[in-house]
Amino acid sequence: MEIALVLFVIVGIFIVRALKVVPQQNAWVVERLGKYHSTLTPGLSLLIPFIDNVAYKHSLKEIPLDVPSQVCITRDNTQLQVDGILYFQVTDPMRASYGSSNYIMAISQLAQTSLRSVIGKLELDRTFEERATINHSVVSAIDEAALNWGVKVLRYEIKDLTPPKEILHAMQQQITAEREKRALIAASEGRRQEQINIATGEREASIARSEGEKQAVINKAQGEAASILAVADANAQAIERVASAIRQPGGADAVQLKVAEKAVEAYSRVASDASTTLIVPSDMGQVASLITSAMKMVQNSKQT
């Protein structure tokens, strides 16, 4: 009974050491008699008990590694506190087991030295502007060396860049001065544009006034010309009608009568003015001869 129990325990131990179940996204390195033998993939695997041994277990997932904060010196001799995080993945479990005694520490130390080298080539202002370039440079430097460790560096991200308090205060003052400068420039540009708009408005108003005055003068001249033409046309029509009436029978007698009336009317207006001295011809026949002369002129004009 005791022997059977012992045999049962031994068989159980053999089964436990022989059967291995590897989880998904994991790889186990098997050594046989202290020498690398194989890499177990996810699933059930069978080993030789007491001869094969699982020496290393690796996760094939993407692993984030917090790189310790460090002080870097920029190209313009400014201290800069840099904190970052590194993402890597085991791609070759055999090399990850035997390529380095501690590939995580090796990656972390290489990330720090590579970061110091990249930061040292840049000035302080550029370190804030070229984070993507810094990240890419660090990944390239680490990835080349990490191939021998069976590790693939996926990306590196800078979490924080902290300059000294004095530099930070000076940067804040510079930013404030730059903003004030932009504000003054914007205000001056606004005043300049305002003056331009006012000058343009005055010029356009002056042009509009001059155009209006010009048009008014033209309209007035055209009106006066039209008035003169209308008066001339009216006088011409009146003269034509008078001439036509004179040519009618009895027209000459009517003209003679009209002239006599105008003469008498003129004499009467002059006589009615108390301040006017009227000299009457001694011979009233002279008045009649004057009327006769006027009628001859009318007849001559009628004959022509």
Side-chain angles (χ1 to χ4, degrees), residues 82-119:
V82 184
D83 188 11
I85 186 169
L86 183 69
Y87 297 86
F88 70 95
Q89 186 178 24
V90 176
T91 57
D92 190 341
M94 190 272 287
R95 288 190 177 184
S97 301
Y98 304 104
S100 174
S101 59
N102 189 339
Y103 62 85
I104 295 179
M105 181 179 292
I107 292 174
S108 178
Q109 293 296 323
L110 185 57
Q112 288 182 309
T113 56
S114 301
L115 182 61
R116 285 196 296 267
S117 176
V118 175
I119 295 294

Side-chain angles (χ1 to χ4, degrees), residues 5 56 61 79 124 127 162 201 277:
L5 183 59
Y56 300 97
K61 300 177 182 179
Q79 292 184 354
L124 179 61
T127 57
T162 307
T277 303

Side-chain angles (χ1 to χ4, degrees), residues 18-40:
L19 297 179
K20 299 294 182 182
V21 178
V22 180
Q24 184 66 32
Q25 284 296 91
N26 282 265
W28 293 0
V29 175
V30 177
E31 292 181 351
R32 177 168 291 179
L33 300 177
K35 183 180 179 181
Y36 171 77
H37 176 262
S38 63
T39 300
L40 301 182

